[in-house]
């Protein structure tokens, strides 16, 4: 069992007691008493009192007193540190954390704790700047102390260095050895979120967002509500969104909400992959080489949509033909034999949203006059999908050369932003960022252009009702919002990930709640 552990990071005893009470009401199984973080030195009696209070709430207890030289705040003598840890052990703590260096340098002081009858010792090593070159050797040094739980934490340079933590957890899971391994920071988040699947002895989650004891720690509420901690097990299949930046992404909330709703044993995580083809390729190579991770699919977002396309092509995977023409992939599927395939659900999600509101099917796009405002990535997906279905598309863009380029790829008309006023379009789509939060007064078309026989679609989803849509609605047009596109593209991914129909109502609610 992996203990979901909440660090108690109080500066006063009073605050520590209230944190323990709050922790006992959360999803965690264990607390870590950080004795080094108090503003005033505490006594061995205080430690015993804290431990017994936590034990009354049925929480397991780890007692830690991290010295300054290992990234903590304790700056007293080692003999006193031993007394504090010992009083935790005598008070009924389940685990005592002792640094590998302390055991190696001051064994005569700390070794007696290894023989304490009622506690297990965590031998730890922390590296706040890098992944140590001698990662394996450090773990082997811990093995000199029989029966201990090994703990190694480090800061990865990027996500590819997080695989060292995952590998060591997997090896420990295979051999049955209790271990904690984590990569810190946002790039290391994968190691925290997969800790339970890989049977780590402990995973840490902060009591609140502000009370993290290390970089990258997720708060305990999100660990369970967003990352489905209670539902995870060894068989959980893993999905994620690859991007940079990725912290703002709503995709984990949408997909995990859908997994929960359909009772599908999956977990969807954010994956911060640095913005180069080289790091993207290394990341994918690492995933493909580790089928035991149970990674079955990814959403791909800025700036990796083209990188994903190139990777899948160069690795002999299947790419949906229209995704090739769009030159962007937003979905990767890895089947149970490790075969890769890639798709673009941006265009399919948008076409479905349009069809729903216009009460048409895709073949009805044939000959339909469509004006597309913008010529960026989203415009490209929509132009491709519409032209593929026979629509008569005109691209209107601020930078005319970009419009011309896009038009040449899909053999359609183009012009500047004002060109729209010369077109009798029945479907008008805003693919510019005009009107997006915070510049919500902006719009791409004058309100007197709208007529009630038009359908009007804004791909901008924040705010949900843009000025563009508000004015179109006032003119009696049918309107389609960006949230519909966003939900539909995620719903198409969900279907590909799971084989199940997506619970779109729930997915839409999650997006609206997040907005
Ligand atoms: P992009 O590649 O950067 O393209 C931006 C487009 O907006 C370009 O055509 C650009 O014209 C135009 N533009 C930007 N500022 C402008 C201004 N002040 N006046 C006129 N035109 C301007 O972005 P993208 O990835 O295509 O995304 C476009 C929008 O789609 C985003 O803002 C976002 O709100 C929305 N989106 C929606 C979803 C969804 O699921 N609903 C998903 C992704 C994106 P130039 O060529 O002249 O620069």
């Amino acid at each position: 069992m992996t203990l979901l552990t909440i660090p108690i990071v109080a500066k006063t005893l009073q605050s520590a007691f209230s944190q323990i009470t709050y922790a006992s009401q959360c999803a965690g199984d264990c607390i870590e008493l950080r004795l080094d973080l108090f503003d005033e030195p505490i006594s061995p009696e205080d430690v015993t009192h804290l431990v017994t209070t936590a034990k009354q709430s049925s929480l397991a207890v780890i007692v830690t007193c991290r010295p300054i030289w290992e990234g903590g705040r304790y700056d007293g003598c080692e003999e006193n540190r031993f007394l504090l840890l010992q009083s935790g052990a005598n008070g009924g703590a389940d685990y005592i954390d002792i640094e590998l260096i302390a055991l190696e340098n001051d064994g005569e002081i700390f070794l007696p704790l290894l023989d304490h009858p009622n506690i297990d010792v965590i031998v730890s090593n922390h590296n706040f700047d890098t992944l140590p070159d001698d990662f394996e050797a450090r773990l082997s040094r811990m093995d000199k102390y029989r029966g201990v739980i090994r703990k190694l934490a480090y800061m990865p340079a990027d996500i590819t260095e997080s695989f060292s933590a995952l590998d060591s957890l997997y090896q420990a899971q295979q051999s049955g050895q209790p271990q904690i391994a984590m990569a810190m920071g946002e790039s290391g988040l994968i190691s925290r979120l997969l800790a339970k699947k890989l049977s780590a002895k402990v995973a840490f989650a902060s009591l609140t967002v502000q009370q993290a004891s290390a970089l990258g720690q997720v708060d305990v509420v999100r660990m369970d509500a967003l990352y489905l901690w209670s539902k995870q097990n060894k068989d959980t299949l893993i999905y994620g969104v690859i991007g940079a930046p990725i912290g703002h992404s709503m995709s984990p909330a949408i997909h995990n909400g859908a997994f929960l709703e359909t009772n599908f044993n999956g977990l969807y995580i954010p994956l911060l992959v640095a913005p180069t083809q080289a790091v993207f390729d290394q990341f994918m190579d690492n995933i493909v080489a580790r089928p035991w991770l149970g990674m079955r699919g990814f959403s791909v977002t800025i700036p990796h949509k083209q990188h994903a396309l190139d990777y899948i092509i160069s690795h002999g995977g299947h790419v949906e033909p229209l995704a090739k023409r769009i030159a962007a992939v937003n979905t990767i599927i890895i089947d149970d034999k490790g075969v890769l395939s890639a798709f673009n659900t941006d265009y399919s999600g948008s076409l479905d949203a349009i069809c729903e509101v216009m009460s048409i099917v895709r073949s009805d796009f044939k000959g339909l006059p469509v004006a597309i405002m913008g010529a960026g990535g989203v415009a490209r997906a929509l132009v491709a999908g519409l032209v593929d279905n026979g629509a008569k598309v005109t691209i209107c863009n601020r930078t005319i050369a970009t419009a011309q380029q896009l038009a040449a790829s899909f053999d359609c008309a183009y012009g500047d932003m004002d060109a729209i006023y010369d077109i009798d379009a029945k479907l008008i789509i805003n693919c510019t960022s005009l009107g997006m939060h915070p510049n919500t007064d902006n719009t791409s078309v004058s309100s007197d252009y709208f007529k009630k026989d038009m359908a009007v679609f804004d791909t901008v989803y924040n705010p949900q009702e843009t000025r563009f849509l508000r004015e179109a609605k006032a003119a009696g047009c049918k309107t389609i919002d960006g949230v519909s596109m966003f939900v539909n593209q995620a719903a198409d991914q969900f279907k590909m990930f799971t084989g199940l129909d997506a619970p779109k109502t729930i997915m839409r609610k999650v997006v609206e709640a997040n907005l």
Side-chain angles (χ1 to χ4, degrees):
M1 172 185 173
T2 302
L3 296 169
L4 185 60
T5 299
I6 302 171
I8 301 297
V9 292
K11 291 183 175 174
T12 64
L13 275 175
Q14 195 189 3
S15 161
F17 285 114
S18 20
Q19 287 187 24
I20 291 170
T21 306
Y22 182 34
S24 68
Q25 295 154 13
C26 297
D29 316 291
C30 177
I31 58 159
E32 181 189 36
L33 281 174
R34 284 291 302 268
L35 305 183
D36 55 300
L37 300 180
F38 289 100
D39 276 347
E40 299 291 329
I42 60 166
S43 68
E45 293 71 33
D46 293 332
V47 176
T48 311
H49 191 186
L50 286 165
V51 171
T52 46
T53 304
K55 294 302 293 178
Q56 279 159 10
S57 313
S58 322
L59 290 165
V61 178
I62 302 173
V63 177
T64 301
C65 187
R66 190 79 67 227
I68 284 182
W69 50 260
E70 181 92 3
R73 283 185 56 200
Y74 179 83
D75 62 354
C77 69
E78 292 298 63
E79 286 77 7
N80 184 56
R81 196 156 78 93
F82 167 77
L83 290 177
L84 293 174
L85 295 174
Q86 189 188 42
S87 64
N90 293 342
D94 303 86
Y95 307 94
I96 299 290
D97 181 311
I98 312 174
E99 303 70 30
L100 173 64
I101 310 278
L103 283 177
E104 289 180 339
N105 292 354
D106 291 302
E108 70 286 0
I109 300 175
F110 292 104
L111 280 173
L113 285 170
L114 265 60
D115 299 323
H116 196 285
N118 300 325
I119 55 148
D120 287 322
V121 169
I122 298 169
V123 176
S124 62
N125 186 252
H126 302 80
N127 305 270
F128 293 95
D129 300 324
T130 52
L131 163 66
D133 291 342
D134 58 346
F135 183 93
E136 289 299 327
R138 287 181 194 221
L139 289 171
S140 305
R141 274 158 57 196
M142 295 173 189
D143 286 339
K144 275 198 279 177
Y145 307 98
R146 291 172 64 82
V148 300
I149 299 161
R150 309 186 301 179
K151 175 186 177 193
L152 210 151
Y154 64 92
M155 182 62 75
D158 61 40
I159 197 167
T160 59
E161 288 194 351
S162 297
F163 288 97
S164 298
L166 296 172
D167 287 345
S168 79
L169 283 177
Y170 177 64
Q171 282 154 19
Q173 184 182 45
Q174 297 305 298
S175 64
Q177 184 169 27
Q179 185 167 305
I180 306 163
M182 72 194 74
M184 293 182 279
E186 198 183 349
S187 299
L189 187 57
I190 185 172
S191 67
R192 295 185 186 275
L193 298 180
L194 300 198
K196 189 172 182 189
K197 178 179 170 76
L198 296 175
S199 309
K201 183 70 194 171
V202 166
F204 294 92
S206 61
L207 196 54
T208 63
V209 176
Q210 293 76 23
Q211 288 170 314
S213 65
L215 285 174
Q217 237 170 46
V218 176
D219 64 275
V220 66
V221 172
R222 280 194 309 148
M223 197 68 162
D224 199 39
L226 176 57
Y227 297 118
L228 313 180
W229 180 265
S230 330
K231 301 272 173 200
Q232 291 178 39
N233 55 40
K234 280 186 212 168
D235 301 323
T236 301
L237 297 177
I238 309 298
Y239 303 83
V241 55
I242 303 174
I246 205 61
H248 66 287
S249 173
M250 279 191 267
S251 297
I254 298 170
H255 283 281
N256 286 328
F259 290 157
L260 202 56
E261 177 69 13
T262 54
N263 221 3
F264 180 83
N265 189 8
L267 168 67
Y268 185 103
I269 63 176
L271 298 158
L272 176 66
V273 174
T276 64
Q277 177 84 52
V279 177
F280 181 88
D281 291 358
Q282 277 173 35
F283 171 76
M284 285 302 299
D285 287 346
N286 275 300
I287 293 293
V288 170
R290 292 169 176 78
W292 46 265
L293 282 171
M295 285 271 185
R296 287 301 167 78
F298 299 110
S299 310
V300 184
T301 186
I302 293 168
H304 289 302
K305 291 184 176 187
Q306 169 92 49
H307 300 154
L309 175 70
D310 293 347
Y311 183 88
I312 306 292
I313 290 175
S314 63
H315 287 74
H318 160 79
V319 181
E320 177 193 13
L322 206 52
K324 261 190 208 164
R325 286 202 68 202
I326 297 169
V329 149
N330 80 333
T331 312
I332 296 175
I333 302 296
I334 308 174
D335 76 9
D336 53 5
K337 294 182 186 62
V339 176
L340 299 168
S341 38
F343 306 87
N344 186 310
T345 65
D346 283 334
Y347 87 83
S348 56
S350 307
L351 295 195
D352 290 345
I354 297 166
C355 287
E356 273 163 38
V357 169
M358 292 182 76
S359 306
I360 59 172
V361 293
R362 287 199 186 177
S363 56
D364 295 328
F365 283 122
K366 198 166 173 56
L368 187 77
V370 181
I372 298 227
M373 311 303 292
V378 167
R380 189 173 177 87
L382 271 148
V383 169
L386 287 162
V387 169
D388 195 53
N389 282 281
K392 242 174 77 194
V393 173
T394 305
I395 300 161
C396 309
N397 194 46
R398 177 179 62 179
T399 309
I400 201 149
T402 319
Q404 185 179 17
Q405 242 173 6
L406 181 56
S409 304
F410 293 96
D411 195 19
C412 50
Y414 69 93
D416 62 13
M417 298 283 278
D418 286 340
I420 188 164
Y421 301 109
D422 301 326
I423 313 163
D424 187 16
K426 293 291 174 256
L427 171 62
I428 298 95
I429 307 176
N430 175 45
C431 298
T432 74
S433 45
L434 288 167
M436 192 168 80
H437 180 81
N439 301 316
T440 51
D441 281 343
N442 290 343
T443 187
S444 53
V445 178
S446 164
S447 61
D448 53 18
Y449 177 72
F450 295 123
K451 292 176 198 65
K452 67 171 180 297
D453 63 341
M454 293 174 171
V456 175
F457 174 18
D458 199 340
T459 62
V460 171
Y461 59 83
N462 186 12
Q464 191 167 352
E465 188 175 79
T466 56
R467 177 179 164 193
F468 180 76
L469 285 188
R470 212 170 39 248
E471 292 179 346
K473 208 181 262 176
C477 307
K478 289 181 174 169
T479 57
I480 305 140
D481 62 31
V483 171
S484 308
M485 169 185 169
F486 192 70
V487 169
N488 280 354
Q489 60 81 26
D492 287 354
Q493 291 182 332
F494 180 89
K495 173 109 191 166
M496 287 190 235
F497 289 160
T498 64
L500 303 172
D501 284 338
K504 276 205 212 174
T505 312
I506 289 288
M507 294 169 96
R508 190 172 181 103
K509 272 192 188 152
V510 172
V511 177
E512 287 172 354
N514 272 270
L515 284 173

